[in-house]
Amino acid sequence: MDDVDIIHKFRLPRFLILDLCGELRVHLEHLTGRSHAIPPSLQVMVALRFYASGNFQAVNGDVHGISKASVSRIVNIVTSALVTLSPNYVRFPRDDRSINDTILGFSRISNFPNVIGAIDGTHIPIKAPKDDEHLFVNRKFFHSINVMAVCDASLKFTNLVARWPGSSHDAFVWTNSTLCDLFESGGMNRGWLLGDSAYPLKKYLLTPVMNPSNPHEEAYNEAHTRTRNTIERSFGVLKMRFRCIDLSGGTLLFHPSRACRIITACAVLHNMCINNHVPAPRPQNPRGNRFIPPDNYVYQGPNNDGMEVRRRLIHTRF
């Protein structure tokens, strides 16, 4: 295949697939009694084809001599290997240089200052599980994993939480995350996250002004929306690249814990593509399965000093 066909079918270019084979080799090589182990390179290609299509039959059609059962085992092995790489590829900015670069990247979008991440949730469809099935039904009445993520201005994920069932509220997922603990404990004393109205307003997490009453609040909301839109675009590109987690590719036909690992693996691959400037595929389903909460889906919680931080920002900047 030429390079265009490789990216079309496997989403990664040739050189990046070879690099990935090298990184995962230690996890994929194993001995067999018959000395016919599937080589790591073929395992990587099988898994990438599944992530790109979400269809075991597509994998079988492109990679001859691999049974459906073997494809399932390979996808599981490669997925687990990719998850072990996630700390190297999905990293929240902590040092001064990475924080400054992140703030600068966001400021170029709409001149919104001091932003170190855009946060949102998205629902990844899964097969109805046998245990606690009702917990996985979301507000759009399909079974899903509620995935919370933070991205930077380049659409790269800097934090990802894929563990909660679809009925979980975005604010609940945030409150029970290690990133929330980091901010609440004072471990991050610089920068703001931008979230929609489903999240609590905090001094470090800024949300839109509901019912803006003056031009300054309207300007703030416009800049906030344009800047926070990066996370929605990140989800859109992720699902365009890896159809296995998009409704257009069907649903993930696995146990929820395995589905969560696949989501994390796709995020790792997405960041690899961003780091190496791999173009995103053309959209086939512009709406995807983006979960759009109704207008009254607003976080209801106690007021705090986040309101004063937001008020001061609007007064001095907008």
Side-chain angles (χ1 to χ4, degrees), residues 8-269:
H8 174 71
K9 287 191 174 182
F10 302 98
R11 299 301 191 246
L12 273 62
R14 190 187 310 270
F15 79 90
L16 198 51
I17 293 175
L18 293 174
D19 289 346
L20 186 61
C21 290
E23 282 197 81
L24 299 183
R25 184 174 301 277
V26 66
H27 299 281
L28 305 182
E29 286 183 331
H30 56 274
L31 299 175
T32 68
R34 296 175 297 173
S35 299
H36 291 299
I38 299 175
S41 57
L42 185 55
Q43 294 183 57
V44 170
M45 298 290 277
V46 166
L48 290 178
R49 186 64 183 124
F50 169 75
Y51 300 144
S53 66
N55 189 330
F56 281 127
Q57 298 304 321
V59 179
N60 292 337
D62 291 330
V63 185
H64 299 290
I66 305 293
S67 68
K68 186 174 178 179
S70 294
V71 170
S72 180
R73 287 193 297 269
I74 289 171
V75 169
N76 190 37
I77 293 170
V78 175
T79 295
S80 298
L82 284 169
V83 170
T84 65
L85 298 182
S86 60
N88 299 329
Y89 288 94
V90 184
R91 294 182 294 184
F92 196 76
R94 296 296 303 274
D95 60 276
D96 288 339
R97 180 176 179 178
S98 59
I99 290 175
N100 291 336
D101 289 345
T102 303
I103 290 174
L104 180 60
F106 276 114
S107 68
R108 290 170 176 159
I109 297 174
S110 192
N111 202 30
F112 203 111
N114 207 34
V115 178
I116 57 173
I119 184 173
D120 203 358
T122 190
H123 286 254
I124 305 300
I126 64 169
K127 179 183 69 172
K130 294 181 180 179
D131 300 325
D132 299 319
E133 176 269 340
H134 64 286
L135 295 179
F136 292 86
V137 179
N138 61 34
R139 291 174 65 93
K140 291 295 183 179
F141 304 108
F142 64 87
H143 297 85
S144 68
I145 300 294
N146 188 358
V147 179
M148 185 196 80
V150 179
C151 76
D152 62 16
S154 69
L155 309 187
K156 185 166 64 175
F157 294 113
T158 58
N159 186 265
L160 186 92
V161 177
R163 57 176 294 198
W164 295 103
S167 64
S168 304
H169 192 288
D170 286 355
F172 173 85
V173 177
W174 161 253
T175 303
N176 288 275
S177 67
T178 56
L179 189 61
C180 177
D181 292 340
L182 177 67
F183 278 92
E184 286 288 334
S185 65
M188 285 294 297
N189 53 15
R190 291 183 59 194
W192 294 315
L193 297 173
L194 299 186
D196 62 18
S197 56
Y199 290 93
L201 175 62
K202 297 282 188 176
K203 62 182 180 181
Y204 53 79
L205 201 170
L206 301 183
T207 59
V209 175
M210 302 301 294
N211 304 315
S213 59
N214 57 64
H216 300 288
E217 292 179 348
E218 291 176 355
Y220 164 85
N221 274 3
E222 181 179 356
H224 185 285
T225 299
R226 291 181 59 190
T227 307
R228 194 191 64 83
N229 181 254
T230 52
I231 184 61
E232 297 185 6
R233 290 164 54 206
S234 295
F235 284 139
V237 173
L238 174 71
K239 294 175 183 179
M240 279 191 293
R241 277 201 171 105
F242 305 110
R243 293 289 172 182
C244 71
I245 59 173
D246 186 73
L247 277 177
S248 63
T251 60
L252 286 173
L253 304 176
F254 305 106
H255 186 274
S257 61
R258 186 172 174 184
C260 290
R261 293 199 303 272
I262 290 175
I263 295 166
T264 302
C266 289
V268 170
L269 295 171

Side-chain angles (χ1 to χ4, degrees), residues 267-278:
V268 170
L269 295 171
H270 168 86
N271 280 5
M272 289 182 179
C273 291
I274 296 292
N275 290 341
N276 291 276
H277 310 288
V278 179

Side-chain angles (χ1 to χ4, degrees), residues 268-306:
V268 170
L269 295 171
H270 168 86
N271 280 5
M272 289 182 179
C273 291
I274 296 292
N275 290 341
N276 291 276
H277 310 288
V278 179
R282 291 184 178 182
Q284 299 176 9
N285 178 20
R287 288 184 61 85
N289 65 330
R290 166 77 183 139
F291 174 67
I292 303 176
D295 293 338
N296 63 350
Y297 193 68
V298 179
Y299 172 78
Q300 301 293 333
N303 292 329
N304 51 54
D305 50 2

